[in-house]
Amino acid sequence: MENLTDNRKGVFHFLKGTDFIALLLAMLSSAYGLALVYSATHKTLTDGKLISSDVRSMFVSVILGLIIAIVVSNIDYEIISKLWPLAAAACVGLMVFTFFFGKAPASRPDARSWLDLKVFYFQPSELLKVGFIISFSYHLDMVRDKINELKTIIPLLIHIAIPIGLVLLTGDAGSALIFMIMFIGMLFFARVHWGYFIAGICAIIVGFVVAWRVGIISGLQRTRIVALFYPEQYEAVMYQQEHGKIALGSGGLFGQGFLHGDMTQALSGGVPENQNDMVLTVAGEELGFIGAAAVVLLLGFLVLKILKTAISARDNVGYLMCSGIAVMLFAQVLVNIGMELSLLPCIGITLPLFSAGGSSSLCIYMALGLELSIFRYSQAPKETLFYTR
């Protein structure tokens, strides 16, 4: 009887401390994403297969990610934050390994950023984002009283230079952009003086111009940027994005119906890789404006919920971690939709929880586990916590 009572208390504690709203939003997004990926790939099925390899790998990564999120949610995030050297070393080591042994899938021959795990391709830069959130949050917390001193800002710049340099070495310019946005966003939430942001923006502009002039930005990357301004001269480069916009608009308000899109089917050749970077085009064509808006709203509400958890976090580390997770998701949504609308060059950024990328979904759920832990341990009675607000 005593064991039964203890078990009931354990279940009650687990249920009471779980952020069901964030978890439900993430699961709904994944379920919706699985449906869109299935629709984009079902006509390619042969030999009596029920689902494509993209759907299978995405489903496996979501289930595994949920398990990891639940496990992480029951570990005090303060313990996790203090293990930042271990997390950073593991992520950096994996990136170095990828530099030598990474593979480039057929859709991204220019980037050797993946490891072949047989079940699905794993992109270590996605895990590096989680490691960066943990280590950078701890770094910002340590210097919070001197955050606006120049001698504090320089080490922070070195901190972000490491992950950006690692992903650029593997040919992943898209992830480098996401890291840059995460860095700026986390500095904003850490309340760095606005003067540093102005100086940083000027430095980025000057750096971009110099990189363009001396040829650091070259080849396909340079062509994709130029093609945004002269699409009629680069029809081959803009093919994916131009057809993606046509597919998005062709659905009207309610769409052509699930599994009935013409341009979003992989065999039609309408929108290449629409199960990955261009997955929003599937929602737009088959489910219309309503379906595409639902995608944006689900992710928008998830970002807002994570920010709400940040505000109510019990300490500065928890606040910064949640802020970093929210900025990461926001950055990927912003860049992905910008790509699909031809406002940004196509640089291979997935739509969080919706695209077929297995490693992306897995690592996002890992980050969500941190948010769930912060939510859980910030609800505990104050007298049981050993910290200083």
Side-chain angles (χ1 to χ4, degrees):
M1 180 66 71
E2 191 172 325
N3 289 336
L4 182 61
T5 302
D6 291 340
N7 289 337
R8 287 177 177 174
K9 287 182 178 179
V11 172
F12 177 75
H13 173 74
F14 172 78
L15 294 176
K16 184 179 179 181
T18 300
D19 186 356
F20 284 109
I21 296 177
L23 196 59
L24 179 62
L25 286 169
M27 292 174 66
L28 285 174
S29 297
S30 292
Y32 193 0
L34 279 165
L36 295 178
V37 173
Y38 174 77
S39 179
T41 60
H42 80 282
K43 283 191 176 181
T44 63
L45 300 177
T46 57
D47 302 326
K49 291 182 179 179
L50 296 177
I51 58 174
S52 66
S53 58
D54 287 310
V55 176
R56 183 181 67 249
S57 63
M58 185 177 178
F59 179 78
V60 170
S61 65
V62 168
I63 296 300
L64 184 58
L66 275 170
I67 294 172
I68 293 174
I70 291 172
V71 171
V72 172
S73 73
N74 284 277
I75 303 173
D76 193 332
Y77 67 91
E78 192 172 336
I79 297 174
I80 297 174
S81 69
K82 290 179 179 178
L83 294 175
W84 71 265
L86 182 62
C91 292
V92 170
L94 199 57
M95 287 298 298
V96 173
F97 181 83
T98 305
F99 176 71
F100 290 103
F101 303 102
K103 295 186 177 181
S107 59
R108 291 289 305 280
D110 59 320
R112 295 180 59 188
S113 311
W114 282 264
L115 297 175
D116 187 0
L117 302 183
K118 305 305 178 184
V119 179
F120 58 84
Y121 278 91
F122 181 75
Q123 192 172 13
S125 60
E126 298 293 339
L127 185 62
L128 186 62
K129 293 173 187 174
V130 183
F132 174 74
I133 289 171
I134 295 172
S135 62
F136 199 57
S137 296
Y138 196 84
H139 189 167
L140 287 171
D141 182 62
M142 285 193 302
V143 299
R144 63 185 180 275
D145 295 329
K146 302 177 180 179
I147 193 66
N148 286 311
E149 296 182 11
L150 184 59
K151 64 180 180 181
T152 298
I153 297 297
I154 293 175
L156 293 175
L157 290 171
I158 296 173
H159 196 141
I160 185 58
I162 295 172
I164 288 180
L166 287 170
V167 296
L168 285 176
L169 285 174
T170 60
D172 189 1
S175 290
L177 176 60
I178 298 301
F179 274 109
M180 180 60 69
I181 297 174
M182 289 171 61
F183 173 70
I184 295 172
M186 292 183 72
L187 289 182
F188 172 80
F189 283 105
R191 302 176 183 86
V192 171
H193 192 271
W194 59 267
Y196 286 110
F197 291 104
I198 295 177
I201 292 171
C202 293
I204 291 172
I205 294 173
V206 172
F208 178 83
V209 172
V210 172
W212 187 273
R213 290 283 187 180
V214 302
I216 295 176
I217 301 175
S218 59
L220 184 59
Q221 295 176 352
R222 190 186 188 101
T223 302
R224 284 173 172 171
I225 295 173
V226 175
L228 289 176
F229 300 96
Y230 304 98
E232 66 284 350
Q233 298 179 23
Y234 295 89
E235 293 183 3
V237 175
M238 294 297 295
Y239 179 90
Q240 184 185 34
Q241 289 170 286
E242 289 297 323
H243 281 67
K245 289 191 294 183
I246 294 172
L248 270 170
S250 66
L253 185 60
F254 298 106
Q256 300 176 16
F258 184 61
L259 303 181
H260 289 89
D262 295 323
M263 294 189 63
T264 54
Q265 303 308 323
L267 288 183
S268 70
V271 185
E273 297 300 319
N274 59 347
Q275 77 277 18
N276 291 320
D277 305 342
M278 307 295 285
V279 71
L280 189 65
T281 63
V282 184
E285 183 180 16
E286 298 191 352
L287 304 173
F289 175 80
I290 300 297
V295 172
V296 178
L297 287 174
L298 279 170
L299 291 172
F301 285 135
L302 179 59
V303 169
L304 291 175
K305 182 64 188 71
I306 295 172
L307 285 176
K308 185 176 184 298
T309 301
I311 294 172
S312 60
R314 76 187 185 191
D315 57 17
N316 194 48
V317 171
Y319 163 76
L320 290 169
M321 276 189 181
C322 276
S323 300
I325 296 167
V327 172
M328 178 186 72
L329 292 174
F330 174 77
Q332 291 191 206
V333 172
L334 181 69
V335 173
N336 179 272
I337 294 178
M339 284 165 38
E340 301 201 44
L341 297 178
S342 297
L343 299 175
L344 293 173
C346 194
I347 52 177
I349 295 298
T350 57
L351 190 62
L353 301 175
F354 282 88
S355 294
S359 52
S360 175
S361 293
L362 180 64
C363 294
I364 286 173
Y365 274 103
M366 191 178 297
L368 185 62
L370 288 174
E371 186 273 340
L372 294 173
S373 172
I374 294 165
F375 180 88
R376 178 185 303 280
Y377 287 92
S378 295
Q379 310 302 312
K382 291 183 179 180
E383 60 270 16
T384 65
L385 303 177
F386 298 91
Y387 70 96
T388 302
R389 182 174 291 277

